[in-house]
Amino acid sequence: MKIAASFLDIKEPKCEELTKLDKLDIDYIHLDVMDGIFVENKTYTYEEFYDIVKFTTKPKDIHLMVSDVKKYIDDFSKLKPDYITFHFEAVSEVSSVINYIKNLGIKVGISIKPSTDVSEIIDYLDYIDLVLVMSVEPGRGGQAFMEDSLNKVEQLYSLREKNNYNYIIEIDGGINDETIKKCEKVDMCVVGSFITKGDYEERIRKLRD
Ligand code: DX5
Ligand code: ZN
């Protein structure tokens, strides 16, 4: 199980906190990007993110919670992330966005909100590298894990087996040392407040146990 740490809930200064996280046993830094339109909250500009991520050497997993997807891809691809994930609900031309990211040499993820079914993205599963199942409403950290998301994980797992698809399954929202135990079919868990609201090293050790 891979762990992607989200620093959404860290208060300033993020640079020191990122330096601290960089030394610990996490696989990715998960960057939550919000535009104040697709979701109510707004995170940093690309320039601000650019300054913050200088303090990490971990591979980057970008989660775009934005409406103007292509504009954000243009900016955030400059951070050389491993993955860029966009929201299925935010775009009309899904295949075109998939190809847009692929052509930049970056792995592509599609994220679905709690109210979106796996059946809605079925046509794209053969073309993507990651499916991000939201286990909370996108927009802020610290919410409770929605158990229903596990049905989607189950469906994605069996669809992958049956069709030899290559995507990894990621889950995001409300993951802690208890809820992670229910995620054995998940390949990558995003963890925000559970890590950042405690002693980082100890919290990560608890997740790994
Ligand atoms: C929520 C974000 C998450 C968030 C997770 O919209 O996508 O990545 O930071 O935070 P926790 O782990 O606190 O639910
Ligand atoms: Zn996220």
Side-chain angles (χ1 to χ4, degrees):
M1 160 86 70
K2 298 221 185 302
I3 293 179
S6 159
F7 58 90
L8 185 65
D9 274 356
I10 297 180
K11 301 269 176 301
E12 308 297 333
K14 303 220 187 236
C15 308
E16 281 161 37
E17 305 301 316
L18 270 192
T19 309
K20 223 163 87 184
L21 270 176
D22 203 47
K23 300 192 183 77
L24 301 176
D25 182 20
I26 53 167
D27 302 285
Y28 289 84
I29 280 286
H30 178 85
L31 305 187
D32 287 302
V33 183
M34 307 182 187
D35 63 355
I37 301 167
F38 181 73
V39 291
E40 215 172 293
N41 286 329
K42 198 169 175 167
T43 43
Y44 310 96
T45 62
Y46 162 71
E47 287 76 16
E48 287 165 330
F49 264 114
Y50 182 86
D51 283 336
I52 296 169
V53 300
K54 282 186 199 145
F55 295 86
T56 184
T57 59
K58 301 282 184 191
K60 289 173 258 320
D61 169 39
I62 297 187
H63 178 192
L64 296 180
M65 286 164 274
V66 303
S67 285
D68 193 352
V69 173
K70 283 192 179 168
K71 171 182 166 280
Y72 279 81
I73 295 168
D74 287 341
D75 278 344
F76 282 83
S77 57
K78 292 182 223 149
L79 299 181
K80 307 218 178 323
D82 277 32
Y83 293 96
I84 293 185
T85 296
F86 66 93
H87 266 270
F88 170 72
E89 303 85 2
V91 300
S92 47
E93 301 277 316
V94 178
S95 297
S96 135
V97 177
I98 292 174
N99 291 329
Y100 198 74
I101 299 174
K102 274 193 179 168
N103 288 337
L104 294 164
I106 297 167
K107 289 187 241 171
V108 185
I110 292 185
S111 180
I112 50 175
K113 289 199 211 183
S115 57
T116 304
D117 288 333
V118 168
S119 60
E120 297 179 59
I121 57 165
I122 211 121
D123 290 347
Y124 311 106
L125 293 179
D126 199 14
Y127 306 100
I128 58 180
D129 304 290
L130 179 152
V131 181
L132 171 53
V133 175
M134 288 306 297
S135 39
V136 298
E137 278 305 326
R140 60 190 170 83
Q143 306 177 72
F145 182 76
M146 298 165 92
E147 300 278 334
D148 276 3
S149 55
L150 295 172
N151 296 329
K152 294 185 191 175
V153 170
E154 199 65 54
Q155 288 174 50
L156 287 163
Y157 190 90
S158 40
L159 280 166
R160 182 173 64 188
E161 276 210 324
K162 202 168 125 208
N163 300 292
N164 275 319
Y165 293 146
N166 289 315
Y167 54 79
I168 64 163
I169 304 170
E170 183 177 42
I171 200 160
D172 185 2
I175 299 294
N176 56 39
D177 56 345
E178 287 304 317
T179 51
I180 200 170
K181 292 179 195 155
K182 303 176 182 173
C183 298
E184 67 277 350
K185 289 192 170 158
V186 171
D187 305 295
M188 173 137 90
C189 279
V190 178
V191 190
S193 54
F194 180 72
I195 295 176
T196 59
K197 295 266 188 282
D199 176 78
Y200 296 178
E201 193 170 0
E202 186 199 319
R203 291 288 171 101
I204 292 165
R205 204 179 316 117
K206 281 192 172 159
L207 292 165
R208 295 281 185 205
D209 287 347

